[in-house]
Amino acid sequence: MGHHSLPDDSAATGTGARPRPRPRRRTVTIATAVALAVAAGSVVALRSDLLPFGTPCGGSSVEVNVVASPDIAPALDTVAKKARDDATRTDGKCLDVRVHARPANEVADSLGQRPASPEFQVWIPDSSLWVERVADEGGSSLTTAGTIASSPITLGAVPSAAKALGWPGKTYTWAALTRAATSGSALRLGVADPTRSATGLLALARTDAANHKEAKDGDEAAGRTAATAELLYERVADGDRQALATLPRDDSAAEQRNPRRNQALLLSEQAAYAHNTTAGGPTLDLLYPEDGAAQLDYPYTLVNNEELTADQSRAANRFMTLLDDTDGQRTLRGHGFRSGNGTPDPKPIGAAGGRGPQPYAAAPADPPPVRELKALLGMWTVTVHSTRITTAVDVSAATALPVPGKGGRSRLDLAKDSLLQTLNTFTPDDEVGLWKFAAYLDGTKDYVELSPTGRLGDRGATGGTHRDELATALRSLTPVPRAAGLYDTMLAAYRQARATYASGKFNALVIVTDAAHDDSGGIGQDTLVADLERLSDTERPVPLIAVAIGPNADQAALDRMVSPTGGSAHLVGDPSQLRQVILKALTAAGSHGPHH
């Protein structure tokens, strides 16, 4: 499925994802130095021309650099400027806070890598999910000192679309609201890319949670979420600002009917406030879910706190108290934000488009666990990008061994169940194939192609779909009393994946194995790595994802094998977790390099 371009999408990039539980206010020692990091070949550097800094007060001063999401940066800069104008001091020295606007996903990418040089001391992303993402990737040491603001995620609609949804009198659960907004073709609904936007990811997570609550089982819920994701992708924007740019520019009938203009968006209450109070064109009316909205929470985040001087530590602490005091909170409300605990204020809510009996005062929904968000991002990657994936599954003797605590079920039994669940994640347009392997499985060959890589929705010779044939082939996998034959299989499968590369799709090869070594007498590991280096092509990438389901796998060996392809290696103690690991790996691979 191609990415649909939408108008006016040249605005600054938006944000994207990984949350943590809603932070509790707590007192910590604020002593930090946030380091500049290099990620994906780019550097997040500070520029002095982003926001006006004003003139520092007389005497010696302490400078604190704050990097913040673009939506909250202007409010923070107002507080910082007032502190300079009022000659606010910390331990007798002038407080000179400089605010820099940066999309949270870009900063998270940077901080997820090893820090390079100190540049800023405080980071205020729009969601704690970014802090969790950096921690999960083993990046910079982050400490959340508190939550300075919040904003619930809602559905904003132009008046005609809101009226069609029954606004303001009709209220919905989140599941019913997303169904009403995505069913049929009457309403054009936009959303920011969940891989770049906390708003987009949290909205998708609420949809998934609602589907799991209503569906009869997990497979049905996953199917509903994937279907919603596919519909949302038709009108996805790169980021939050680009999504807002897709709304009608005026009230003219031509703009309202323009199929490239969205009539509704999944967005934060604060974004709706900013649109309604500063932008031209139709204002937005907000619909709030009666079962609780997801929430942006703006954590005041400190990084590498052992590197700050005592003066910088106290200055960072002083700025947070200014944001927390009455004047600071008034400034934040004046920009459309709620307080950190989510207390509603009817005046800015009304300006944002909220109105009773819409449940704008309902308690926010609990944030989703990090593992669920990872799985959602994997689902998004394989659902919205047309995918071509071949999976090769180890059926050697070791896969017959029982997994402790699983009722005697073998490694291969659990792996098959998990792979069948993964198969349900793909759309009919995706292309999937299946191999099995073990030493000398087919004469001198260590592998057999059970089902060629093809479109899941196509009909096979038996009349069923290719998906049906793959499911049957997966269920038929049984262990054989032989060694793994891993290296020859990996090379042969990769050679075929490269030869059949499909331009315009996300191509990948997944190897599910019991171990990382090969004692079948075929090619050696050095030969395998050299051949993979020769075959790989960054312009036509086929990442190799190796997942070891046995307890004796060698992570270093797996890493060495997948490295030439830009892929990743994973050890899975419980084969029933295979689905989550594969989806996470596909997400990571899908976010780097061209797919075309």
Side-chain angles (χ1 to χ4, degrees):
M1 180 186 301
H3 192 295
H4 294 246
S5 62
L6 292 166
D8 305 338
D9 58 358
S10 59
T13 48
T15 43
R18 241 172 247 215
R20 64 187 290 167
R22 189 181 310 123
R24 301 178 176 87
R25 281 193 178 274
R26 57 190 182 277
T27 302
V28 300
T29 301
I30 301 183
T32 176
V34 177
L36 183 71
V38 178
S42 64
V43 177
V44 175
L46 301 182
R47 293 205 324 263
S48 60
D49 60 345
L50 289 174
L51 291 170
F53 297 146
T55 303
C57 63
S60 60
S61 63
V62 181
E63 181 178 305
V64 174
N65 282 292
V66 176
V67 169
S69 289
D71 52 352
I72 202 169
L76 302 178
D77 191 61
T78 298
V79 176
K81 184 178 185 303
K82 187 175 187 301
R84 288 191 295 272
D85 292 344
D86 292 348
T88 300
R89 294 177 181 270
T90 171
D91 282 354
K93 297 181 179 179
C94 300
L95 180 62
D96 185 16
V97 176
R98 306 192 174 197
V99 179
H100 311 265
R102 286 288 181 276
N105 66 305
E106 294 180 4
V107 181
D109 282 345
S110 295
L111 295 180
Q113 309 299 316
R114 187 173 182 83
S117 61
E119 287 284 337
F120 52 97
Q121 291 74 48
V122 178
W123 178 34
I124 306 177
D126 56 359
S127 173
S128 295
L129 67 84
W130 300 112
V131 180
E132 288 291 338
R133 171 173 160 181
V134 173
D136 184 64
E137 293 175 354
S140 299
S141 172
L142 301 179
T143 303
T144 297
T147 298
I148 62 169
S150 64
S151 189
I153 295 169
T154 67
L155 189 144
V158 298
S160 59
K163 182 179 179 180
L165 290 169
W167 185 91
K170 186 173 178 56
T171 61
Y172 299 84
T173 64
W174 187 262
L177 182 58
T178 52
R179 275 200 304 271
T182 56
S183 60
S185 58
L187 183 62
R188 299 187 296 274
L189 175 65
V191 66
D193 188 342
T195 65
R196 303 183 183 190
S197 164
T199 298
L201 181 56
L202 290 172
L204 188 63
R206 285 296 295 134
T207 300
D208 186 58
N211 287 335
H212 276 84
K213 186 175 181 179
E214 291 189 355
K216 66 178 184 292
D217 57 40
D219 287 345
E220 181 183 336
R224 288 185 184 183
T225 302
T228 301
E230 192 169 1
L231 290 170
L232 290 174
Y233 186 70
E234 292 289 341
R235 307 193 69 81
V236 75
D238 283 344
D240 299 306
R241 291 187 175 184
Q242 291 92 332
L244 285 164
T246 66
L247 292 167
R249 291 173 292 192
D250 54 52
D251 290 306
S252 68
E255 274 290 283
Q256 297 292 318
R257 291 195 300 265
N258 186 342
R260 294 174 64 81
R261 292 286 170 189
N262 285 321
Q263 300 164 297
L265 293 177
L266 295 168
L267 79 173
S268 72
E269 181 183 83
Q270 190 278 332
Y273 176 93
H275 173 81
N276 287 354
T277 56
T278 63
T283 58
L284 296 172
D285 298 322
L286 298 185
L287 292 98
Y288 295 77
E290 58 192 22
D291 51 346
Q295 179 174 260
L296 301 179
D297 61 355
Y298 302 92
Y300 194 92
T301 306
L302 315 168
V303 183
N304 300 336
N305 56 16
E306 71 282 354
E307 296 185 19
L308 268 194
T309 66
D311 281 347
Q312 288 175 317
S313 172
R314 286 189 286 267
N317 188 24
R318 185 76 176 99
F319 185 55
M320 183 173 173
T321 64
L322 293 178
L323 296 172
D324 264 341
D325 70 16
T326 301
D327 286 345
Q329 287 294 298
R330 184 182 298 116
T331 298
L332 287 163
R333 285 198 304 274
H335 284 76
F337 293 96
R338 298 190 184 192
S339 63
N341 61 14
T343 301
D345 185 327
K347 186 175 180 180
I349 289 172
R355 173 178 161 189
Q358 288 295 312
Y360 60 78
D366 291 333
V370 174
R371 57 181 170 77
E372 290 184 10
L373 290 166
K374 291 178 183 177
L376 271 177
L377 285 171
M379 179 278 300
W380 176 266
T381 297
V382 300
T383 298
V384 304
H385 296 115
S386 188
T387 302
R388 180 179 175 84
I389 294 177
T390 301
T391 300
V393 181
D394 188 345
V395 292
S396 62
T399 65
L401 296 174
V403 177
K406 296 295 181 179
R409 303 195 72 202
S410 72
R411 296 172 189 171
L412 186 57
D413 288 335
L414 295 174
K416 288 193 298 184
D417 287 350
S418 197
L419 288 170
L420 285 166
Q421 292 172 9
T422 306
L423 183 61
N424 290 333
T425 308
F426 295 98
T427 71
D429 288 328
D430 292 322
E431 299 177 21
V432 182
L434 178 66
W435 291 29
K436 65 177 179 179
F437 66 94
Y440 304 109
L441 191 62
D442 181 19
T444 59
K445 291 195 306 182
D446 296 339
Y447 47 85
V448 173
E449 184 180 52
L450 293 178
S451 187
T453 304
R455 186 176 173 276
L456 289 175
D458 286 349
R459 295 284 170 179
T462 60
T465 64
H466 183 53
R467 186 192 302 274
D468 296 333
E469 293 175 350
L470 271 169
T472 300
L474 275 169
R475 294 188 186 99
S476 73
L477 294 175
T478 53
V480 294
R482 296 175 187 175
L486 174 63
Y487 298 164
D488 280 12
T489 300
M490 192 176 285
L491 179 59
Y494 194 80
R495 185 175 282 130
Q496 178 165 304
R498 288 287 297 113
T500 58
Y501 181 90
S503 181
K505 294 179 181 290
F506 169 61
N507 294 249
L509 171 62
V510 176
I511 301 287
V512 179
T513 183
D514 182 77
H517 294 296
D518 186 338
D519 54 3
S520 62
I523 63 171
Q525 189 180 118
D526 290 344
T527 299
L528 170 66
V529 172
D531 285 346
L532 290 176
E533 287 175 346
R534 178 177 51 80
L535 288 168
S536 63
D537 181 353
T538 56
E539 293 302 314
R540 294 163 61 87
V542 181
L544 170 56
I545 297 165
V547 186
I549 58 174
N552 300 316
D554 185 335
Q555 179 78 55
L558 284 173
D559 287 338
R560 183 182 179 224
M561 286 182 270
V562 303
S563 178
T565 73
S568 57
H570 309 267
L571 307 184
V572 181
D574 180 354
S576 64
Q577 300 301 309
L578 193 57
R579 174 178 177 270
Q580 291 92 318
V581 172
I582 289 175
L583 291 178
K584 175 186 176 182
L586 291 175
T587 300
S591 65
H592 298 96
H595 299 165
H596 303 283

